[in-house]
Amino acid sequence: MTAVLTVIAGPTASGKTGLAIEVARLLDAEVVSADSQAVYRGFDLGTAKPTAAEQAEVRHHLVSHVEPMDEYSAARFQRDADRAIAEIAGRGKRVVIAGGTGLYLRVLLHGVVEAPGSDAALRAELEAFAERAGNQALHHRLEAVDPETALRLPIADRVRIVRALEIHALTGKTASAYRREHAFTSDRYEHRLWVIDPPRAHLYARIEARAAAMFRAGLVDEVKRLVEAGYREAPAMGSVGYVQALACLEGRLSLVEAVADTAKKTRHYAKRQWTWFKKEQGARAVAPPVDAKAIAQATRELEAARSK
C-alpha cells in the first residue's frame, strides 16, 4: 500500500466537496471523486460537480471522466481510482477521496465482490421487455425477486435494474445477497473514513435549496442539450434531478413539480446513504461544522505511525 487515503463521505448535499477541498489544501493533496454520476461528461448541474474554480484550486480526478453512454461500474471505478491514486502518490502528493456512492468507496477500500458475467441474450430479452412494458414494469419484476435492491434503484435506472435481474436469473441469487456476502478481510489502503453527519432538518433544507438552485441554473436546458445530442437513454439520465428535468422538458411535470419531486427523491436517497455509511467499518461520523484541520492532522498521524 503506497498511499494513505483521507476519505470524505456522507449523504448528498452534506458538504463533501467543500470539506474535501479544504482538507486537500491543508495536506497538499488532490481529490479523487467517488461519485457514480459526476463521472459522466456533460451531466454537470444535476450532479453538483465541483465548479471550474474549485477544480482549478485543487485538482480533481474522475470528474467528467467518461462519455455519457458508457456503462460505468464499481469494478471499473476501482481500477480507475487505483491508477489515479498511484499517479498522485507518484508525484509526492497526498490523496483525498470524496463522494457519496457507497459501493464505490467500499470496493476501493476493501475490494470488489465477485459477480457473474453477462448474458447477451438474457439482457436483450430484459431490454425488450422494458421497451414493451416500460421501466415501471421492469422495476416490479425486480421487486418480486430482490426487493432490497429494488428499494435502492430508481425506476428510471434501467441499466442497473437489468443487471440485478440478470444476476438473479443466472445464479438464483439476488444482487443484494452478493453485496452482503462481500467479505472485508483486509483493507486495500490504509485510510481514515470520515462521514459528514448533519442534523436531518439542516440537511433537508440544503437539499431543497440545492434542488431549486439546479433548476434556476438551467438544468432543463442542460437536459435539452443532452437529448438533442442523442443522450436521452444515457445512464445518468436516470438519476434524480435528470429524471424530473426530462419530465419537465417533455411536459409531464411543471417546473414547480419537478423541483419539489427532485427534493423529495433526493431526501429519500440521502436516507439510503445514511443507512449505508452507518454500516461501514471504521467510519467516523462528524457533525458540521467539521474541523478540516483535525482531519488533516489525523492523516499526518496515520502516516507517521505507518513509517515507524
Side-chain angles (χ1 to χ4, degrees):
M1 294 183 288
T2 60
V4 172
L5 305 185
T6 303
V7 185
I8 309 294
T12 186
S14 60
K16 296 183 294 294
T17 297
L19 178 61
I21 289 171
E22 189 175 357
V23 172
R25 283 201 308 264
L26 292 168
L27 290 173
D28 189 26
E30 296 178 12
V31 175
V32 177
S33 169
D35 187 300
S36 62
Q37 306 305 320
V39 72
Y40 289 105
R41 296 189 186 103
F43 287 80
D44 300 327
L45 293 174
T47 60
K49 288 177 182 175
T51 65
E54 289 170 331
Q55 294 190 58
E57 182 180 3
V58 172
R59 185 176 175 185
H60 283 66
H61 301 257
L62 308 190
V63 173
S64 300
H65 178 62
V66 300
E67 295 300 325
M69 296 304 290
D70 284 0
E71 289 190 22
Y72 202 74
S73 66
R76 185 175 172 187
F77 166 76
Q78 184 201 74
R79 294 191 296 270
D80 290 349
D82 282 345
R83 282 193 291 268
I85 291 165
E87 191 267 329
I88 296 166
R91 290 187 282 103
K93 295 268 192 172
R94 293 185 175 97
V95 181
V96 172
I97 310 292
T101 303
L103 181 59
Y104 280 19
L105 293 173
R106 185 174 288 181
V107 299
L108 176 64
L109 300 177
H110 308 295
V112 179
V113 61
E114 294 296 328
S118 63
D119 183 301
L122 174 59
R123 185 165 290 190
E125 177 187 330
L126 291 167
E127 291 282 0
F129 172 81
E131 288 296 326
R132 291 194 312 272
N135 287 350
Q136 179 78 62
L138 187 73
H139 196 267
H140 283 325
R141 284 182 63 169
L142 182 60
E143 286 178 337
V145 297
D146 188 358
E148 182 178 334
T149 298
L151 185 63
R152 292 178 54 249
L153 297 180
I155 292 168
D157 194 351
R158 184 186 295 186
V159 171
R160 290 179 176 82
I161 294 171
V162 165
R163 178 56 178 156
L165 287 168
E166 182 183 43
I167 289 172
H168 181 263
L170 291 175
T171 69
K173 184 182 294 186
T174 64
S176 54
Y178 272 100
R179 289 192 299 273
R180 284 193 298 272
E181 290 172 7
H182 189 176
F184 307 114
T185 55
S186 62
D187 293 338
R188 299 182 71 245
Y189 294 93
E190 286 194 68
H191 66 277
R192 286 288 183 268
L193 172 57
W194 306 92
V195 178
I196 304 176
D197 187 20
R200 292 212 174 187
H202 173 75
L203 181 69
Y204 290 170
R206 286 176 61 97
I207 286 172
E208 290 180 7
R210 174 184 282 187
M214 286 176 175
F215 280 88
R216 281 198 309 271
L219 182 57
V220 175
D221 289 336
E222 179 177 286
V223 168
K224 184 175 186 290
R225 291 193 297 272
L226 290 165
V227 170
E228 290 173 347
Y231 300 136
R232 190 186 186 284
E233 302 303 323
M237 198 66 81
S239 61
V240 176
Y242 286 97
V243 170
Q244 290 78 11
L246 181 62
C248 187
L249 178 67
E250 295 177 345
R252 292 178 282 112
L253 286 178
S254 70
L255 181 60
V256 171
E257 290 169 334
V259 172
D261 194 57
T262 297
K264 176 182 176 182
K265 295 299 195 305
T266 304
R267 289 194 300 271
H268 293 169
Y269 177 53
K271 289 179 183 178
R272 295 194 297 272
Q273 289 175 300
W274 252 313
T275 300
W276 179 286
F277 288 123
K278 282 180 179 178
K279 296 178 181 177
E280 290 303 282
Q281 60 179 12
R284 292 164 168 80
V286 286
V290 181
D291 187 347
K293 291 182 180 179
I295 291 177
Q297 181 59 30
T299 298
R300 295 188 186 98
E301 290 172 358
L302 182 57
E303 290 173 337
R306 189 179 69 164
S307 64
K308 289 180 180 179

